[in-house]
Amino acid sequence: MKNTTWRHGLLLAFVFWSDANLASTLSTPDNIQIHPGGNLDIQAGQTSVNLAITKPPSIAAGNIQLSPSGRIEIQAGQTPLNSGTIQTAALPLPGETKFWAIHWTSGITRIGDYFDIEVAAFAPLANANTDELIVGFGFNALTGGTGSAQFLGSSASSLFTDISARDGVNLTAAGIASPGLGSNEAGSLLSLAVLHFRAIAAGNWNIAITGDLSDPNQGLIYRNQARLAIQANNTVTISAVPLPEAWLAFLSGAGICLRRLARKPALLHP
C-alpha cells in the first residue's frame, strides 16, 4: 500500500510538472516584439512557438529643434520622440547689421559659365527705432585673384528702384525705396542687388563689396539714422573646361604617333 501511494504521488508530480511546462508556451503566427520595460503574459495550454525578442530603435527625448547652425538638438528626459514636434528655432538677430555677398551656384563654375553674386543685409534695422525706414543703398565692387570674370551688370531687388546707371550715381549697384522699407518689408534678410558675371579664366576669383560713405549715394541709407558702409566679400573657384573624350582620344593617338616617328631611324641617301 505504501508503494502504491508513493507511485501515485510521483505520477501527480509528473502531471503538475508537465502542466507547468505547457504554461511557458504561446501560440501565434506573428513575430512578437518585446519593448524595453514592457511585459509579456503567456497563457497556458497552447502549442510551443519561438519568441523573437527585439529592441526597436528609440530615442528618449522631447521636442526636436533645428538650431541656427543646422544641428538637431534633442533634450533628454522628456516624452518619447514620436510624440514630440519638430520646430525651427528662431534665428537670433545680431546686435548690428551684417552684409553678405552670396554666390548662388548649382555646381562647379567653369570657364564660360554665367553666375551671380547676391548682396544682402542681415538684420538691416538692428538697433534702429521702431519707426525707422530704409530708403536706399549703393555700393561698388572690386575684383581680383588668379581667376577672371566679366561683369555683365546688376539688378536691384524688386523692393528698390534701380538707379545705378543714373547720371551722378554710376555705381556697381544702387537703388531707392519710396516711401521706405520698415521692419515688415525689410525682414531679417534684405536682398539689395544681384551682380551678374561670366567666368573668363580659371583660378580663384575674389570679389569685394565696398561702400564709401564720403559719397552720399553709397551705403545702406536710412531716413533718420546715419548710413552704414556696405562691406562684404567672397571667393569663387573657376575651373577649366574639361576636354571632350573624343579630343582626349585624338590627342593621345597623336602623341603616340609622334613618339614612334621620333624613334624611327633616318634613311641615308647616296
Side-chain angles (χ1 to χ4, degrees):
M1 184 66 179
K2 292 181 178 179
N3 291 338
T4 303
T5 302
W6 176 82
R7 291 174 181 172
H8 287 171
L10 182 61
L11 179 60
L12 290 173
F14 178 79
V15 171
F16 287 133
W17 177 83
S18 300
D19 288 341
N21 280 349
L22 287 175
S24 63
T25 61
L26 178 66
S27 176
T28 175
D30 300 321
N31 295 328
I32 297 177
Q33 292 184 339
I34 302 178
H35 295 264
N39 297 324
L40 176 65
D41 295 330
I42 301 177
Q43 303 296 324
Q46 306 297 328
T47 57
S48 177
V49 296
N50 294 325
L51 299 180
I53 301 177
T54 62
K55 182 178 180 181
S58 60
I59 301 176
N63 294 340
I64 298 177
Q65 287 191 338
L66 302 181
S67 68
S69 60
R71 297 190 305 271
I72 298 178
E73 298 177 352
I74 302 175
Q75 301 298 324
Q78 304 297 323
T79 55
L81 177 64
N82 57 7
S83 63
T85 58
I86 298 178
Q87 298 176 342
T88 302
L91 289 172
L93 297 181
E96 60 182 11
T97 302
K98 304 291 185 180
F99 296 98
W100 293 344
I102 308 168
H103 174 214
W104 296 112
T105 177
S106 58
I108 300 173
T109 301
R110 294 190 171 92
I111 294 175
D113 288 350
Y114 296 88
F115 64 93
D116 293 333
I117 299 292
E118 181 175 3
V119 180
F122 185 48
L125 289 167
N127 294 326
N129 294 328
T130 56
D131 59 347
E132 185 60 273
L133 297 175
I134 298 171
V135 296
F137 74 91
F139 61 82
N140 278 318
L142 303 176
T143 61
T146 57
S148 177
Q150 178 187 4
F151 177 58
L152 302 177
S154 64
S155 301
S157 165
S158 59
L159 296 175
F160 297 92
T161 299
D162 196 322
I163 61 169
S164 57
R166 287 188 183 179
D167 292 338
V169 179
N170 296 322
L171 297 174
T172 300
I176 57 174
S178 179
L181 306 177
S183 58
N184 291 334
E185 296 83 9
S188 58
L189 183 62
L190 175 63
S191 175
L192 301 177
V194 177
L195 313 183
H196 312 290
F197 297 91
R198 182 173 183 266
I200 300 298
N204 290 329
W205 175 80
N206 305 318
I207 181 170
I209 305 300
T210 63
D212 182 5
L213 295 183
S214 64
D215 180 353
N217 294 316
Q218 295 194 43
L220 188 60
I221 307 171
Y222 300 90
R223 169 168 290 182
N224 299 308
Q225 72 179 36
R227 290 173 293 134
L228 293 179
I230 300 175
Q231 307 286 345
N233 58 78
N234 204 337
T235 298
V236 177
T237 299
I238 301 174
S239 301
V241 179
L243 291 175
E245 293 184 2
W247 276 98
L248 291 175
F250 170 77
L251 293 176
S252 176
I256 294 173
C257 292
L258 290 174
R259 287 195 297 271
R260 288 180 177 176
L261 289 174
R263 291 196 299 265
K264 187 176 180 181
L267 297 177
L268 298 176
H269 297 279

